């Protein structure tokens, strides 16, 4: 049934006692006749601190204009953002995953605190997307997510660059594999425009999966941030949202177990980020949907990798968009029985109805999107490993690897900076299994991304020959023999806390195994002498986070 009045109508339209409410709203532009209109929150992640969010304000302006034209009352508020690429390797990185919860809380407070009728959330960097989606599911008023868009690729001497290129250049330069000129040239040319990191890293993984989930406009997620079509799609998002409000179409009508399967299928098909595992566990929890870590392994077995995108392939998001983008991949998945076509979308139509005009096969003049009959890999790339090192499950990304197993001596580090120092000093050798611990949700706190050490290993040519496991997490730009989200984490007394230098460790993606090869009696002896560390933070948001956050196997959620 269409909505007749806004949520605030009983507050601001009934009786003389309500005049103070009217008076305050008049101060922000309300006029006679506006008080009965729906109030739409526009949550803006605009920030000049990073390219991912620096192009948001023009999109917000277009959203506001379109909402006003549609006869509703847009009201803008902001939310904070932490950009991983800038914070990487610093104490600031500990705030990145935490910001997902802060964003969700901030939006919930603003929308529910002012009884808004709908929400257009505009974000760009990695945690913006899941933070906004968690808020949408909690609040459950009609809502749409507007992605800020991707960055355009940089170039240096004919090589296509993304933000991962400078991180890998650090390792290559330390190993003497590139010159000072190339090192500087890569750094200066990697980020030529506003927009989120250009590969199928976390931001583009989550934005594209939101099309499959149904909470963003179909075809909008891989547009370049500076291009006019991105601003046009922001305006169209506003118009679609107003229709959703009129039809009382809410996030929990859209975010279901089936639609999450659709989103995860898209993640697998595009070779997306390991962070999608954390984020979809959290989104499902917020929406009240039954979903657990083993569901990702179930989906992996059903869905091939169809897209040849960075970090496992050569292409970036703008190439993906030009080749047909998310709609083309979804149509392939639909026709091959791994997409639920009956799921509702924010458009007010099912995903199958939205895909009716999309070709059945990708164009033959490109190799960004491959047909179902000739996939890049026959099964998905994000696999769940279990074993004595991680009985709750952890996540490995196995695309692009010639070998998917390793058994070697542990090289143990109690922090990411300690590990990076050893890598740059060339103390890590082929066959080693690097262990980075006390970087989990509670131990970090905040699960820092390990892009600096993994990229340094890649840059030194060790990506295929060195294993790495951590109770922290990885950038979407990471590839190699890497395993993250090990749970229970070291801070909680997980077995990863008891590993010693030189211990034999096995990582085997085909057997879904992560194992410390140490006798049970020796493990028991070590456990008796282990003591939990003191918390690294005792005040502020990080201290609060440690008290509230769950294990990574549940999505590192706080509620």
């Amino acid at each position: 049934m269409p909505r007749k009045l806004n949520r605030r109508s009983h507050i601001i339209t009934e009786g003389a006692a309500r005049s103070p409410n009217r008076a305050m709203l008049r101060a922000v532009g309300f006029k006679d006749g506006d008080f009965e209109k729906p109030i739409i929150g526009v949550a803006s992640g605009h920030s000049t601190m990073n390219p991912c969010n620096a192009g948001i304000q023009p999109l917000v302006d277009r959203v506001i204009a379109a909402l006003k034209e549609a006869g509703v009352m847009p009201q803008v508020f902001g939310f904070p953002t932490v950009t991983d690429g800038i914070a990487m390797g610093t104490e600031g990185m500990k705030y990145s995953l935490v910001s997902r919860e802060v964003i969700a809380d901030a939006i919930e407070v603003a929308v529910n605190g002012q009884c808004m009728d709908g929400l257009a959330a505009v974000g760009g960097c990695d945690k913006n997307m899941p933070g906004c989606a968690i808020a949408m599911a909690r609040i459950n008023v009609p809502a749409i997510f507007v992605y800020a868009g991707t960055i355009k690729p940089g170039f240096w001497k004919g090589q296509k660059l993304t933000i991962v290129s400078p991180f890998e250049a650090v390792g290559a330069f330390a190993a003497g594999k590139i010159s000072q000129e190339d090192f500087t040239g890569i750094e200066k040319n990697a980020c030529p425009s506003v927009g989120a990191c250009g590969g199928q890293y976390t931001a583009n993984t989550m934005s594209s999966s939101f099309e499959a989930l149904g909470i963003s406009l179909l075809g909008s997620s891989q547009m370049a941030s500076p291009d006019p079509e991105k601003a046009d799609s922001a305006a169209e998002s506003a118009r679609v949202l107003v229709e959703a409000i009129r039809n009382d179409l809410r996030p929990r009508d859209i975010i279901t177990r089936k639609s999450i399967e659709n989103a995860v299928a898209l993640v697998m098909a595009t070779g997306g980020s390991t962070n999608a595992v954390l984020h979809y566990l959290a989104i499902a929890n917020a929406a009240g949907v039954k979903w657990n870590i083993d569901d990702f392994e179930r989906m992996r077995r059903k869905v091939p990798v169809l897209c040849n995108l960075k970090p496992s392939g050569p292409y970036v998001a703008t190439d993906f968009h030009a080749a047909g983008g998310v709609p083309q991949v979804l149509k392939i998945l639909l026709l091959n029985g791994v997409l639920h076509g009956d799921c509702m979308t924010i458009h007010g139509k099912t995903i199958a109805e939205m895909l009716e005009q999309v070709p059945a096969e990708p164009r033959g003049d490109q190799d960004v999107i491959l047909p179902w009959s000739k996939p890049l890999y026959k099964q998905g790339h994000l696999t769940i490993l279990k074993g004595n090192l991680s009985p709750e499950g952890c996540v490995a990304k196995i695309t692009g690897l010639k070998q998917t197993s390793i058994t070697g001596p542990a090289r143990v580090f109690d922090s990411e900076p300690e590990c990076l120092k050893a890598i740059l000093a060339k103390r890590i050798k082929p066959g080693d299994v690097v262990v980075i611990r006390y970087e989990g949700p509670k131990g970090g706190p905040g699960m820092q991304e390990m892009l600096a050490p993994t990229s340094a290993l890649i840059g030194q040519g060790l990506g295929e020959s060195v294993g790495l496991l951590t109770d922290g997490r990885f950038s979407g730009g990471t590839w190699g023999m890497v395993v993250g989200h090990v749970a229970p984490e070291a801070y909680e007394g997980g077995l990863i806390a008891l590993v010693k230098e030189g211990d034999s460790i096995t990582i085997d993606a085909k057997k879904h195994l992560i194992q410390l090869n140490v006798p049970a009696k020796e493990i028991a002896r070590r456990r008796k002498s282990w003591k939990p560390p003191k918390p690294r933070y005792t005040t502020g948001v990080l201290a609060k986070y440690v008290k509230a956050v769950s294990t990574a196997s549940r999505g590192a959620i706080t509620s």
Side-chain angles (χ1 to χ4, degrees):
M1 181 180 294
R3 300 175 76 82
K4 296 180 179 180
L5 295 172
N6 63 54
R7 295 169 80 197
R8 291 186 55 90
S9 63
H10 69 285
I11 299 175
I12 60 177
T13 62
E14 295 177 8
R18 307 307 182 192
S19 61
N21 306 86
R22 286 173 171 258
M24 295 187 75
L25 289 171
R26 289 185 190 280
V28 295
F30 277 65
K31 296 179 173 58
D32 290 344
D34 290 336
F35 298 105
E36 289 75 28
K37 296 177 180 177
I39 298 175
I40 311 304
V42 181
S44 171
H46 177 74
S47 170
T48 58
M49 184 65 195
N50 65 77
C52 318
N53 292 55
I56 285 179
Q57 190 57 51
L59 306 183
V60 169
D61 292 342
R62 288 292 300 275
V63 169
I64 291 170
L67 289 173
K68 288 181 176 178
E69 186 176 350
V72 299
M73 297 300 291
Q75 300 296 296
V76 184
F77 61 90
F79 60 80
T81 189
V82 175
T83 298
D84 298 4
I86 295 173
M88 203 76 69
T90 72
E91 284 293 293
M93 189 64 208
K94 295 179 178 180
Y95 289 84
S96 174
L97 186 59
V98 175
S99 75
R100 184 189 75 181
E101 311 307 303
V102 174
I103 291 166
D105 291 349
I107 294 174
E108 178 186 350
V109 167
V111 173
N112 280 349
Q114 298 299 305
C115 300
M116 296 175 180
D117 294 275
L119 172 68
V122 191
C125 201
D126 295 6
K127 308 311 171 295
N128 294 182
M129 278 70 72
C132 291
I134 290 167
M136 290 176 182
R138 285 185 195 167
I139 300 161
N140 203 33
V141 298
I144 194 167
F145 182 80
V146 182
Y147 186 43
T150 183
I151 199 170
K152 294 186 176 182
F155 291 91
W156 176 249
K157 294 185 177 180
Q159 177 187 3
K160 191 172 287 186
L161 304 176
T162 69
I163 186 57
V164 175
S165 304
F167 283 94
E168 293 183 355
V170 170
F173 185 65
K177 293 187 174 184
I178 61 173
S179 67
Q180 178 69 57
E181 178 195 12
D182 288 335
F183 181 71
T184 303
I186 290 170
E187 179 266 312
K188 288 186 174 181
N189 291 280
C191 296
S193 75
V194 296
C197 303
Q200 194 66 349
Y201 310 146
T202 304
N204 284 326
T205 295
M206 295 308 297
S207 67
S208 60
S209 71
F210 278 10
E211 291 187 42
L213 187 64
I215 62 172
S216 285
L217 288 194
L218 194 66
S220 67
S221 67
Q222 304 297 303
M223 297 172 177
S225 185
D227 288 353
E229 67 175 352
K230 182 71 257 185
D232 291 344
S233 78
E236 178 62 18
S237 296
R239 291 187 283 268
V240 168
L241 174 60
V242 172
E243 283 302 307
I245 292 169
R246 288 172 178 158
N247 293 311
D248 201 18
L249 178 59
R250 298 169 181 256
R252 292 198 183 191
D253 300 326
I254 297 170
I255 304 174
T256 64
R257 183 173 172 84
K258 283 185 175 181
S259 70
I260 289 177
E261 285 194 353
N262 287 351
V264 173
L266 192 282
V267 171
M268 295 293 180
T270 58
S273 170
T274 54
N275 285 308
V277 175
L278 280 177
H279 298 328
Y280 272 103
L281 286 167
I283 292 168
N285 175 73
V289 172
K290 184 181 179 181
W291 188 265
N292 64 51
I293 194 168
D294 294 322
D295 286 315
F296 294 94
E297 180 61 29
R298 177 174 57 82
M299 293 301 299
R300 183 193 71 80
R301 294 170 181 164
K302 295 168 57 175
V303 183
V305 179
L306 299 174
C307 297
N308 201 9
L309 301 171
K310 284 181 179 287
S312 303
Y315 296 111
V316 297
T318 51
D319 300 322
F320 183 29
H321 183 57
V326 173
Q328 181 63 81
V329 176
L330 291 177
K331 185 61 174 277
I332 297 170
L333 298 179
L334 177 68
L335 293 178
N336 287 278
V338 293
L339 194 81
H340 300 288
D342 59 345
C343 288
M344 181 55 61
T345 72
I346 189 64
H347 294 269
K349 298 179 180 179
T350 66
I351 191 76
E353 290 172 328
M354 294 300 300
L355 295 171
E356 282 181 358
Q357 302 304 312
V358 178
E361 295 287 336
R363 298 197 321 268
D365 63 348
Q366 55 81 44
D367 61 350
V368 184
I369 304 172
L370 304 177
W372 183 272
S373 59
K374 296 180 180 179
L376 199 62
Y377 303 97
K378 292 182 179 180
Q379 291 184 320
H381 63 301
L382 300 181
T383 186
I384 304 302
L385 310 185
K386 292 186 178 181
N388 66 357
L389 268 170
S390 188
E392 293 181 15
C394 54
V395 186
K397 189 176 187 179
I398 59 175
T399 46
L401 295 177
K402 295 176 183 176
Q403 64 175 38
T404 56
S405 66
I406 186 172
T407 295
R411 305 299 309 279
V412 183
F413 304 94
D414 287 347
S415 71
E416 182 207 22
E418 182 185 341
C419 176
L420 181 60
K421 184 177 179 180
I423 295 170
L424 296 179
K426 302 181 182 179
R427 286 163 38 203
I428 305 301
K429 305 300 181 184
D432 287 345
V433 177
V434 174
V435 177
I436 306 176
R437 63 191 181 190
Y438 295 104
E439 293 288 9
K442 293 179 181 291
M447 294 187 79
Q448 293 193 81
E449 288 184 351
M450 303 297 147
L451 181 59
T454 57
S455 296
L457 289 171
I458 298 296
Q460 290 186 8
L462 298 173
E464 293 277 0
S465 60
V466 169
L468 188 150
L469 64 94
T470 179
D471 52 8
R473 59 193 180 91
F474 297 113
S475 164
T478 292
W479 68 276
M481 180 63 68
V482 297
V483 181
H485 312 184
V486 169
E489 62 175 293
Y491 187 87
E492 297 269 82
L495 187 57
I496 189 174
L498 307 183
V499 179
K500 288 189 174 182
E501 187 80 7
D503 283 349
S504 172
I505 290 177
T506 296
I507 301 170
D508 192 324
K510 288 186 178 179
K511 294 181 179 178
H512 309 289
L513 178 68
I514 181 166
Q515 187 81 15
L516 176 65
N517 304 311
V518 171
K521 287 184 179 181
E522 172 60 16
I523 291 173
R525 187 190 66 78
R526 293 181 190 181
R527 186 167 298 284
K528 286 181 180 180
S529 62
W530 179 81
K531 295 181 180 179
K534 293 181 180 179
R536 289 174 172 170
Y537 293 84
T538 57
T539 61
V541 67
L542 294 183
K544 295 176 185 177
Y545 184 81
V546 170
K547 293 177 182 177
V549 70
S550 77
T551 178
S553 65
R554 293 182 54 220
I557 57 176
T558 56
S559 64

